[in-house]
Amino acid sequence: MRYSLVTTPSAVVTVADYYTDDLPEQKDAFALWETEDLVLYLFFDGLLGMHVAHIDVLNPDGGLYAASDLAFDTRTSEETEADVPGFGTMTIVPTRDTPLGARIEYFLPVAGTPITAYGLTGRWSVLLSLDETTAPLAATTFTLVGDD
């Protein structure tokens, strides 16, 4: 990989039901039938250069609902294509500098997906790992609430 660590890296995952250029406010619960998409804001501190964030979204039963690899480079705020060793050619998503570190976003569609089709309510988990490691660097949970 073409990356370097400035210090021991740290990360924070914040979940919101809206996109903002500012720091989002963490919410713990979302109404299933009122939520179009969830935005997972991924903040990284102590990184420099190109990295790959791996996101696992686990359903309330603990099963894997979605997994994604997002390549990013802390030195650019532009979307580009690059060969990422170990991952192949990837789109490098733009980063934003924030007080919490470099920020990227992952959108999790809710409306019109199996989540609403099967009423998948309950506590969901998000695990975030970095580069080729499998141990989570950060994790969070959120709840999708039904009509009950």
Side-chain angles (χ1 to χ4, degrees):
M1 292 227 106
R2 290 174 273 142
Y3 62 88
S4 62
L5 302 175
V6 176
T7 61
T8 302
S10 62
V12 174
V13 179
T14 300
V15 182
D17 55 358
Y18 62 94
Y19 181 84
T20 179
D21 286 333
D22 299 320
L23 291 178
E25 182 178 324
Q26 170 73 33
K27 285 179 59 178
D28 295 323
F30 305 91
L32 177 66
W33 306 112
E34 297 173 9
T35 304
E36 290 287 322
D37 300 299
L38 291 176
V39 184
L40 308 181
Y41 294 93
L42 315 174
F43 297 93
F44 297 93
D45 193 30
L47 297 178
L48 179 63
M50 188 181 300
H51 296 274
V52 176
H54 180 78
I55 302 146
D56 284 332
V57 179
L58 307 179
N59 66 32
D61 292 332
L64 182 64
Y65 177 79
S68 186
D69 289 323
L70 297 173
F72 65 99
D73 191 327
T74 60
R75 300 165 296 192
T76 183
S77 60
E78 300 295 322
E79 185 174 296
T80 61
E81 294 280 324
D83 182 43
V84 180
F87 293 91
T89 301
M90 296 182 74
T91 299
I92 309 301
V93 298
T95 60
R96 296 179 184 274
D97 287 328
T98 74
L100 295 177
R103 179 183 105 179
I104 60 175
E105 300 91 21
Y106 174 76
F107 290 85
L108 179 67
V110 175
T113 69
I115 296 172
T116 53
Y118 296 105
L120 298 177
T121 59
R123 184 164 297 281
W124 291 66
S125 299
V126 178
L127 305 175
L128 173 64
S129 57
L130 188 63
D131 299 325
E132 294 159 339
T133 63
T134 56
L137 183 60
T140 194
T141 61
F142 62 90
T143 301
L144 288 174
V145 181
D147 290 335
D148 312 306

